[in-house]
Each structure stands twice: as structure tokens, then as C-alpha cells.
């Protein structure tokens, strides 16, 4: 079982043990169908029930009603980087992007294949060690403003985002369902599943129906949000087992409750940031506490020897996935919903022990 | 286990019992990693080994060398319907399509979003009950000719395809690795995995390196074959567990051997077509034996009562997935590689018993 390792990977990330058990059972046989979830027809009653329950749970957890469509797509966040401008930009149009990190910048690069891009704030000059200031004014001609609510590589996160005057599109791949949030502020939300919502190969999209009416006619059905919504996410053969794993995660989230999850995430982050800030060996990458991510805690060691020694110590203690992204180095500890508080306590104790012995 | 039902579904289709067992084990824990395949990092050594072994097996089974790239993508066949013209057609260009069935026609419709389409043969007028004649001459200006080697809904299949004078692109979703074939004749082959190659959420693409040099610059990386090849199919977070299931299928295919699989597929198809042709209650949809698919056997009953009675009898005998596609009605029995000869014998015996008792 997955309990053998303490898994702080940034994604694909740790899943709850119960979800892994249920997913494995479904591979052997889905319910009493006599077949595996890997063989389950995408147009049969069982998968339709999976789709409907998962859509209802997403809306319930986001406190959204009939103004929104919930879609289960393939291709991860990067296909959304393409689909968003493909659906909502023509070569004459302009979209705004906030350049708050690596993925935000990449989303922007994809946008530039389809239309004009206006950078509405950037922290690139200081290697994304803080959140760009929120734009004071947003031009009405922008077809949308794209933001990334949590920046995994650097460990910054928007705690609150105001309602704005153009459609607001957000990549929430790494912090969806991690905290209470006014989801109705957003016109389109997308999230690759492999962090808080399941396993790779599935992307969740939540889109206001009103926005669907703005889609250009030149987008073929497979890449067209309106067509996908019309076909209830089974326009083509869905990733049946992947969507089922997301449903298992949604049930798990509902049972815990987002308020409880948020409280636990706050405690986990506080534990870890306190350990870093009180250490003479480690330094937090993001200095401003208001900008710090509660999902990805990034820090560096005073020198390469200390870094390597601590990585070695963690490996010896069955702790995996704490190495920083290749572009930043250092450490990144991802503490998504499924990472238990006890795991963070274990890591923090190891940091203290390491400091004492160094 | 999946042995409880005899599964003739058209896709997602039956998988070998051993593959289901191995896939379930990997969900509990992948090898000795201490984590589930659902959590396995896409950039770690374990997944790289999965990618490399699966690519090598595809090339070995197709008898292809270093002139080809093997890609594992998401989005199924329908994303390929888009990516092919997106990569190889501009609005001024023309591509040829053979209109041999529902999916062939849909691929053509997607092509028309990106360039000009020339129909190089069609059997639409007779509801695709035979294969269109192979084009006598193929204009050199065509950017490619697209064919569908096996037409699932109607049950037709190209046994042999000649070498041609423009790039040949084939949808082999429903018959890849089912028979010996000169794969080097094709410039791009694609196959959604959920028939002969695994579970939904994965698409295999085999493409000649020479063709990659013809890709237009306006295609963003996620949708660009050249970029995907350059990044070894992990341009973004791959569907790790889905690709692993495909690897399990490839190992299973290699162990059986394609020549043996082909011989068994021939026997399975012969058994079933003989039963249909010798029956007074059932009629084969495709009359010309040379056009008949060895993967999907389509037939109708003399009337609706017989159809319903036989469906009921099959359900009582734990046989599932034989209902025809909603566009044709009747029956469709899919006998992909993983469907055992014994399952076909059971069905054929039930057909004979039904005929005797009717």
C-alpha cells in the first residue's frame, strides 16, 4: 500500500489510501458488472451514473448551480492552455494573462498562437518569488483574464481574487478544493486531476454557460467546450477509470468537508513554514507570508552539501518527492489535500533533528 | 474477475484476465516503489522505463526501425482527427479521405475545419456495407490520404493496402496488432487504446520521422507531433496508468505472437461468419467475404422479435456487448485479440440452440 512511503510529490501526487484501495477493487471488477472498470462501456448506465454523481459533487463542493457546466476532458492542463484561446480568441482579439509562474507563462505562450496577449502583471524579473500585484484596471476589450491560482514551482498562491469586469479564467490544477473560495467569481476553471483530484489523464473544466455562447464556429467538436458540454463529456470515449478515480476523490473530499480540509491545510502549511523560518539551514523561497502557497512549500538550503545531506536523510526515512523543480533547485514539499498532517509532522521533526545534528 | 461475463463490447473492450490482474496490482503498489501507479511520477525512472519498453515493443511488433517515432498521447482517436489536419494541412492544401464508415467520415469532417478535402472513395450510399474501391490514381498534390483500416460499426476491414505516392495515414484503432501487416507502408498510424491495446485515455501514434519535418509552425507544442516526439511523450503529465496498461497488453501480444493471434482471429471470425451464413434467422451485414472484418462481426435478425429474443437469451447466459451500434441496429460482436476462441464457440453454440428452438 502507499503507506510505505511518505509522498510529497508535486503531481502525480499522493492519493488517500482508501481511494487507492477502491480504485484497485474497481480494476478487478466494477461493482457487480462482471467486468473491470478498464473495460466499462463509456455509454452504459454505470459510467453515466459516474459522470452525473461527479458533476453533482463538483457543483456542491463549489456551491454552484445551473449556470455552470462541469466537463471531464483529457489532455491535462496543457490541452486547456490550447483550448481556451482556441475557443475564446480570434487573431484580432486580445486576452490578458497574469504571469505569476512557469505554468502561467506557458499558458500565455499557448495563447499567443491564437491571438494577442496583454501581460497584466508579472513577477518574472525576480524569478516568481512573489505574486504580481493585482491589475488596478482591466481593459474591457480583453476577451478574458487568465490567472493561475497556485504556482507549484515557486510556491505562491492567491488567497483571494476579486470579481472583475471581463471573463475570469483560472488554472486551479494545484489548489482546487483545498480551501473555501467563491467559485462563482470565475467564468472558467480548469484543473488537471493529478494533484487534488485523482490521477493523470483527466482534466476538470467548470464553465459558465453564458461563456459557451461566445465560442467561435471554427473549433471542431473535440476541442470545443460547447460541443463537449452538449455531449455530457462523452463526445468520445472518456477516460472511464480516470474519471472514476476523480469521483472517488470527490466523495473523499465531501466526507472530510472543505472547511475541515482547509483547516488541516492551514495547519500543515504553518507547521512547515514555521520550521523553515526558525531554521538556520533552510530559507523559504517566498518571503511575503501573504503570498505563500499552502499547497507547495518551497525552500532552499544554505549550501549544496546541506541540501544533499537532507535529501539523503529523507530518502533513508522513506520520504519521497521533496526535491525542488529542476528550474529552481532546493526543496519543494507538496502538501495537497491527501497528504496527512502526520506526514508533515514527521518531516518537520526530521528537519529539527537534522539541524541539531548538523 | 472479468471471467464472470463474456464481453463482446466494441470498445472499451475485453482485456485479458492476466492484464487486469497486473493492472490492479499496480494500483495497490507499482513494483517496489511504495506508491500506486496512480501516483507514479511521469518524469521518474520507472515511467521512463515503461515508455521505453512500450516504444520498443511497438516497433518490434510492427517490424519498424529508427525511421519511426512512437508516441503515447491522450484524447483518443478524435483528438487525432484534429491533430492530423492541424499538423499537415493549411487552408490552401487538400487531403484525401476514403469514406468507408462512420469514423472515416468523421475524420474527414474534422479535416474540413483545416483545409480542403477530396473524397477518394465512398460506400456511404449503401450504408457502408462494403469497402469503397481503392482509388485507381491518387493525385500527387494531396498532402496525405487518410484511411480507416477497420470499420467497427459496419464490420468491414482492409486486408491489404498498397504502397502509395502520397503520405498514407491510417486509423487502426480497432485492428492494430490483430494481423500481420506491412506497417512500413504507412506514414502515420494511430490507434485509440481501448480495443486491442488497453483502456480509454491513451492513443498510440506511430509516425515516420520524415513526415515530422512537414509540420507547420503554427501548431502549439501540446498538439504538435514533432514537439511530442522531441519530449518523448512526456511533454506534459502523461496518462501514466493508461500507458502502463498498454504496455501490459503489448507484453501479452508479444508473448502470444502476432502470427498466432492472427490465426486465432481468423478461426474466431470463420466460426461466427459460418454460423451466420448457415442460419435462417440471421444475415451478415457485409456480403462480400473479402470485405468482412475479423474484428467486428455485424449481422441482423429476420425480425425485431427474433432480435429481442436472442439478446435476452444472451443476457441470460452472461454474454454482453452484442447489440449493434445505434445507427445500424441488429448485432455487432467484437472479437478483438483478447476475446478467447472459447467465448466465440459459446456464442455460436447458443445461436445454433436458439435456431433449433425457434
Amino acid at each position: 500500500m502507499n503507506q510505505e512511503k511518505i509522498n510529497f510529490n508535486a503531481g502525480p501526487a499522493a492519493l488517500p489510501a482508501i481511494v487507492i484501495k477502491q480504485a484497485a477493487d474497481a480494476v478487478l471488477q466494477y461493482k457487480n458488472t462482471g467486468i473491470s472498470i478498464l473495460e466499462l462501456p463509456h455509454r452504459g448506465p454505470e459510467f453515466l451514473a459516474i459522470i452525473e454523481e461527479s458533476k453533482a459533487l463538483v457543483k456542491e463542493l463549489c456551491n454552484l448551480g445551473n449556470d455552470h457546466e462541469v466537463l471531464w476532458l483529457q489532455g491535462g492542463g496543457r490541452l486547456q492552455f490550447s483550448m481556451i484561446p482556441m475557443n475564446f480568441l480570434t487573431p484580432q482579439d486580445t486576452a490578458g494573462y497574469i504571469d505569476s509562474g512557469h505554468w502561467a507563462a506557458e499558458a500565455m505562450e499557448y495563447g499567443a498562437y491564437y491571438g494577442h496577449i496583454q501581460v497584466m502583471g508579472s513577477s518574472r524579473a525576480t524569478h516568481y518569488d512573489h505574486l504580481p500585484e493585482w491589475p488596478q484596471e482591466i481593459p474591457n476589450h480583453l476577451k478574458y483574464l487568465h490567472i493561475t491560482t497556485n504556482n507549484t514551482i515557486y510556491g505562491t498562491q492567491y488567497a483571494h481574487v476579486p470579481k472583475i469586469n471581463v471573463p475570469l479564467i483560472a488554472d486551479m490544477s494545484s489548489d482546487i478544493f483545498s480551501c473555501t473560495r467563491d467559485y462563482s467569481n470565475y467564468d472558467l476553471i480548469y484543473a488537471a486531476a493529478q494533484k487534488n483530484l485523482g490521477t493523470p489523464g483527466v482534466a476538470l473544466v467548470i464553465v459558465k454557460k453564458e461563456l459557451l455562447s461566445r465560442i467561435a464556429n471554427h473549433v471542431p467538436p473535440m476541442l470545443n467546450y460547447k460541443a463537449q458540454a452538449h455531449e455530457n463529456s462523452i463526445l468520445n470515449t472518456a477516460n472511464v477509470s480516470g474519471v472514476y478515480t476523480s469521483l472517488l476523490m470527490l466523495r473523499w473530499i465531501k466526507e472530510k468537508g472543505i472547511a475541515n480540509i482547509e483547516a488541516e491545510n492551514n495547519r500543515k502549511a504553518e507547521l512547515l513554514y514555521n520550521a523553515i523560518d526558525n531554521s538556520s539551514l533552510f530559507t523559504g523561497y517566498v518571503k511575503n507570508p501573504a503570498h505563500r502557497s499552502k499547497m507547495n512549500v518551497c525552500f532552499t538550503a544554505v549550501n549544496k552539501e546541506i541540501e544533499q545531506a537532507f535529501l539523503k536523510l529523507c530518502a533513508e526515512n522513506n520520504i519521497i518527492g521533496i526535491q525542488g523543480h529542476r528550474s529552481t533547485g532546493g526543496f519543494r514539499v507538496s502538501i495537497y489535500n491527501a497528504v496527512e498532517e502526520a506526514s508533515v509532522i514527521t518531516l518537520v521533526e526530521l528537519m529539527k533533528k537534522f539541524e541539531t545534528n548538523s
Side-chain angles (χ1 to χ4, degrees), chain A:
Chain A
M1 293 294 297
N2 70 325
Q3 300 306 330
E4 291 181 20
K5 298 278 181 188
I6 296 181
N7 180 0
F8 291 115
N9 267 312
L15 296 173
I18 178 74
V19 166
I20 289 172
K21 172 73 170 60
Q22 291 166 335
D25 285 348
V27 171
L28 290 175
Q29 182 180 173
Y30 183 68
K31 285 187 164 176
N32 57 352
T33 56
I35 59 174
S36 166
I37 188 89
L38 301 178
E39 305 171 310
L40 195 71
H42 60 298
R43 298 204 188 277
E46 295 87 3
F47 187 61
L48 188 62
I50 290 171
I51 288 271
E52 293 303 331
E53 184 185 346
S54 62
K55 284 168 55 179
L57 274 173
V58 166
K59 285 192 181 179
E60 185 184 334
L61 292 168
C62 293
N63 199 21
L64 295 173
N66 281 328
D67 294 343
H68 289 76
E69 293 278 1
V70 175
L71 308 177
W72 295 102
L73 304 179
Q74 297 183 42
R78 274 227 192 45
L79 190 56
Q80 296 310 306
F81 293 175
S82 305
M83 281 179 68
I84 290 162
M86 210 185 276
N87 278 265
F88 302 115
L89 270 189
T90 68
Q92 294 75 44
D93 297 328
T94 303
Y97 281 77
I98 294 187
D99 178 24
S100 59
H102 177 90
W103 304 115
E106 199 157 322
M108 192 160 71
E109 284 168 24
Y110 275 73
Y113 280 88
Y114 299 93
H116 298 288
I117 297 308
Q118 191 166 337
V119 183
M120 297 299 295
S122 175
S123 49
R124 189 181 300 205
T126 57
H127 303 289
Y128 302 116
D129 65 353
H130 66 284
L131 291 169
E133 209 174 320
W134 191 260
Q136 300 225 316
E137 206 176 328
I138 297 168
N140 282 319
H141 73 274
L142 295 185
K143 290 294 170 184
Y144 57 82
L145 176 70
H146 179 281
I147 66 167
T148 308
T149 50
N150 183 73
N151 300 285
T152 49
I153 295 179
Y154 314 92
T156 59
Q157 185 179 20
Y158 284 101
H160 299 288
V161 167
K163 213 173 174 61
I164 61 169
N165 51 313
V166 303
L168 179 59
I169 294 183
D171 179 355
M172 291 194 190
S173 291
S174 52
D175 70 350
I176 196 161
F177 303 134
S178 70
C179 56
T180 51
R181 189 176 248 159
D182 189 350
Y183 288 95
S184 70
N185 268 359
Y186 300 84
D187 296 82
L188 189 151
I189 293 163
Y190 64 100
Q194 64 269 14
K195 292 152 196 291
N196 269 331
L197 199 52
T199 189
V202 171
L204 168 67
V205 174
I206 307 168
V207 55
K208 269 193 188 152
K209 287 179 183 168
E210 193 278 326
L211 199 65
L212 296 179
S213 63
R214 305 188 188 190
I215 294 173
N217 281 329
H218 65 266
V219 185
M222 181 66 194
L223 296 162
N224 186 314
Y225 293 115
K226 193 158 58 176
Q228 289 281 3
H230 185 258
E231 299 289 342
N232 200 21
S233 300
I234 42 175
L235 185 142
N236 73 333
T237 312
N239 179 349
V240 173
S241 66
V243 175
Y244 177 62
T245 304
S246 288
L247 172 59
L248 295 175
M249 281 302 292
L250 289 165
R251 287 180 186 158
W252 180 86
I253 293 167
K254 189 193 166 176
E255 197 179 311
K256 287 197 86 158
I258 288 197
N260 295 325
I261 287 174
E262 182 175 32
E264 192 176 337
N265 285 339
N266 286 344
R267 290 196 303 273
K268 280 149 57 181
E270 198 183 349
L271 274 166
L272 204 41
Y273 282 118
N274 279 345
I276 295 162
D277 290 342
N278 293 327
S279 158
S280 59
L281 298 179
F282 302 118
T283 313
Y285 188 76
V286 177
K287 302 295 180 289
N288 185 338
H291 292 198
R292 282 178 164 176
S293 168
K294 285 164 181 171
M295 295 283 99
N296 312 93
V297 177
C298 298
F299 55 103
T300 53
V302 285
N303 61 48
K304 271 283 160 200
E305 289 67 42
I306 293 290
E307 181 182 310
Q308 290 306 311
F310 188 63
L311 282 173
K312 185 163 169 282
L313 182 67
C314 284
E316 287 163 4
N317 283 270
N318 282 320
I319 292 172
I320 63 170
I322 67 159
Q323 198 144 17
H325 189 267
R326 57 190 186 278
S327 63
T328 53
F331 304 96
R332 170 174 53 178
V333 178
S334 297
I335 47 175
Y336 301 122
N337 292 352
V339 174
E340 290 173 15
E341 196 169 348
S343 301
V344 177
I345 292 171
T346 301
L347 177 65
V348 163
E349 282 171 359
L350 200 63
M351 287 167 77
K352 287 178 186 165
K353 190 174 136 191
F354 178 72
E355 181 129 3
T356 310
N357 298 343
S358 285

